[in-house]
Amino acid sequence: MGLILGSGGKGGRRGRRALNAEINVTPFVDVMLVLLIVFMITAPLLVRGEDVALPKTRSGPIKTEPNDAPLAITVQADGTIFVQNTEVSIDELGAKLAAIIGEGYEQQMYLRADASVPYGRIMDVTAEVRAAGYTRLAFVTEQKK
């Protein structure tokens, strides 16, 4: 058995084929598309809120600051109250809000209430919010078309 070694010159195999200096982006595009699909599926699951049928009004959009992470209170049709995604009773609401803010809170807070919630229930929630020290309360609605 013999071993034939090429001289490495122009007559060898390597001399006829030039090196490919291009980057193959196909695997990169495949990975990016998979990641895009994963994030499109998981993002709505992470931003889950409570379902409420907001009343429709002619009011404009609420102006928020870009880095503002507002505190939200949700009142469902059956009268259940949520602070962010945590269920609280009307008796616990003031204490819970006071524990969250400490003393003074100048950022905007949002109140989302179902259209079928009685006005008295909304006023009870609003009174607890004011008693806890919140001064800027915005009512969230949907715009009429």
Side-chain angles (χ1 to χ4, degrees):
M1 295 209 106
L3 181 64
I4 302 174
L5 296 174
S7 63
K10 290 185 179 180
R13 278 189 149 163
R14 288 187 149 194
R16 285 187 243 150
R17 245 169 71 200
L19 292 176
N20 185 3
E22 295 177 10
I23 297 174
N24 187 2
V25 296
T26 304
F28 176 71
V29 170
D30 290 344
V31 169
M32 296 313 287
L33 287 174
V34 168
L35 287 174
L36 178 67
I37 291 169
V38 167
F39 286 124
M40 286 173 55
I41 292 171
T42 58
L45 299 176
L46 297 176
V47 186
R48 184 187 170 275
E50 303 305 324
D51 292 332
V52 291
L54 296 173
K56 296 185 185 324
T57 63
R58 293 186 191 194
S59 63
I62 298 172
K63 293 178 177 62
T64 59
E65 296 173 19
N67 296 330
D68 190 16
L71 186 62
I73 295 179
T74 305
V75 183
Q76 290 184 331
D78 61 357
T80 309
I81 302 169
F82 291 87
V83 175
Q84 297 298 72
N85 291 329
T86 307
E87 184 176 348
V88 296
S89 68
I90 191 71
D91 300 328
E92 300 171 334
L93 182 60
K96 178 91 169 171
L97 292 175
I100 290 173
I101 64 167
E103 287 188 27
Y105 186 81
E106 294 301 321
Q107 290 185 347
Q108 189 80 28
M109 187 177 78
Y110 299 120
L111 178 62
R112 299 174 61 230
D114 195 283
S116 63
V117 175
Y119 182 71
R121 183 69 168 177
I122 299 297
M123 293 316 312
D124 290 342
V125 171
T126 304
E128 289 293 327
V129 168
R130 297 282 181 186
Y134 282 93
T135 57
R136 297 179 62 202
L137 181 64
F139 291 85
V140 180
T141 61
E142 289 183 353
Q143 288 186 328
K144 283 186 179 180
K145 293 183 181 187

